[in-house]
Amino acid sequence: MVKHWSKVEYLHESVKNPNIIIKGTKSYYSNAYTPDFENYVVRYLYGDEYSRSHFKPLWEYDKLYIGNYVCIGAETIILMGGNNTHRMDWFASYPFMETIKEAYIDKGDTIIGDGVWIGMRAMIMPGVHIGEGAVIAANSVVTKDVEPYTIVGGNPAQVIKKRFDDKTIAELSALKIYDRSEAEIDKLIPYLCSNDLNALKQQLK
């Protein structure tokens, strides 16, 4: 099949790793320039298909949770378990196999909320939580949590601005739009593709 930017990989159709949990059917990866999402974007050193079938687990595998309506740009990297074995509090940061279990620092699960847009070539570090509706600028390195409806960019990623004022963000988050069925959300498209919060709230009533 010819790859092209107009064709995307829907994650619920392709992901097989039990440690990657996909919500809904709308989240996609722009895979025109790379292999598939699971083998290119998600970088498990321990927890990928090969390590799960060839090695005894040294620790509990961290999980990647991806919400619905998430857009992941081409060449994004999401670092997962095993990439965090370089101890800064030891004299040697080298991951000697003799002490690899002790070198591992659990960062927790990585969570990408509903409606997030991740720009091309962004890198998400282990254990980061990205809130609903957040935007990650292209080429950013995200080292800490991102609040809902916030735009971040740079290396390390810093807040550029919030998409809406705090009151609007709080109200949007409280509506829990993405917990509704996809059929319900389809009916809301004209109201979601606008910035009239009152109209959206009226429709939800």
Side-chain angles (χ1 to χ4, degrees):
M1 183 181 72
V2 176
K3 284 195 169 190
H4 188 261
W5 63 263
S6 63
K7 301 175 181 179
V8 297
E9 173 188 351
Y10 284 97
L11 304 184
H12 73 286
E13 296 178 343
S14 63
V15 170
K16 307 300 182 190
N17 190 325
N19 299 303
I20 306 174
I21 295 88
I22 309 298
K23 175 182 175 181
T25 68
K26 302 297 185 181
S27 293
Y28 69 80
Y29 169 56
S30 297
N31 67 334
Y33 313 109
T34 67
D36 64 276
F37 175 82
E38 189 172 331
N39 291 302
Y40 182 88
V41 174
V42 183
R43 301 295 177 93
Y44 271 112
L45 290 189
Y46 290 92
D48 63 350
E49 182 180 4
Y50 183 87
S51 63
R52 285 187 287 112
S53 59
H54 286 78
F55 303 115
K56 180 181 179 181
L58 296 174
W59 46 73
E60 184 177 351
Y61 298 131
D62 49 333
K63 293 180 171 54
L64 170 59
Y65 293 89
I66 299 178
N68 209 0
Y69 298 88
V70 173
C71 309
I72 301 177
E75 301 177 74
T76 292
I77 299 296
I78 301 174
L79 287 182
M80 298 297 293
N83 289 285
N84 36 322
T85 54
H86 302 268
R87 291 283 293 261
M88 296 297 104
D89 58 332
W90 290 358
F91 297 128
S93 62
Y94 189 85
F96 293 102
M97 289 308 297
E98 292 86 348
T99 58
I100 196 67
K101 187 173 181 180
E102 293 77 15
Y104 176 75
I105 301 174
D106 182 18
K107 300 292 187 180
D109 297 330
T110 300
I111 300 173
I112 300 174
D114 299 305
V116 168
W117 175 23
I118 300 176
M120 183 181 289
R121 294 179 179 168
M123 179 177 287
I124 313 300
M125 299 301 284
V128 165
H129 293 194
I130 301 176
E132 176 183 310
V135 177
I136 312 301
N139 284 308
S140 298
V141 179
V142 183
T143 62
K144 58 185 179 181
D145 295 353
V146 180
E147 293 185 0
Y149 294 95
T150 299
I151 303 170
V152 300
N155 180 10
Q158 304 292 329
V159 174
I160 297 172
K161 66 176 185 178
K162 294 187 177 182
R163 293 178 59 190
F164 311 104
D165 61 71
D166 290 340
K167 182 176 182 293
T168 300
I169 291 173
E171 289 191 63
L172 274 173
S173 298
L175 291 176
K176 299 189 180 299
I177 293 166
Y178 296 104
D179 288 344
R180 297 170 184 270
S181 70
E182 291 176 2
E184 288 179 281
I185 293 174
D186 283 346
K187 293 177 182 177
L188 294 172
I189 288 174
Y191 305 93
L192 292 172
C193 297
S194 79
N195 57 8
D196 188 338
L197 183 57
N198 286 330
L200 175 59
K201 288 162 67 176
Q202 281 296 119
Q203 185 65 21
L204 289 172
K205 288 180 179 178

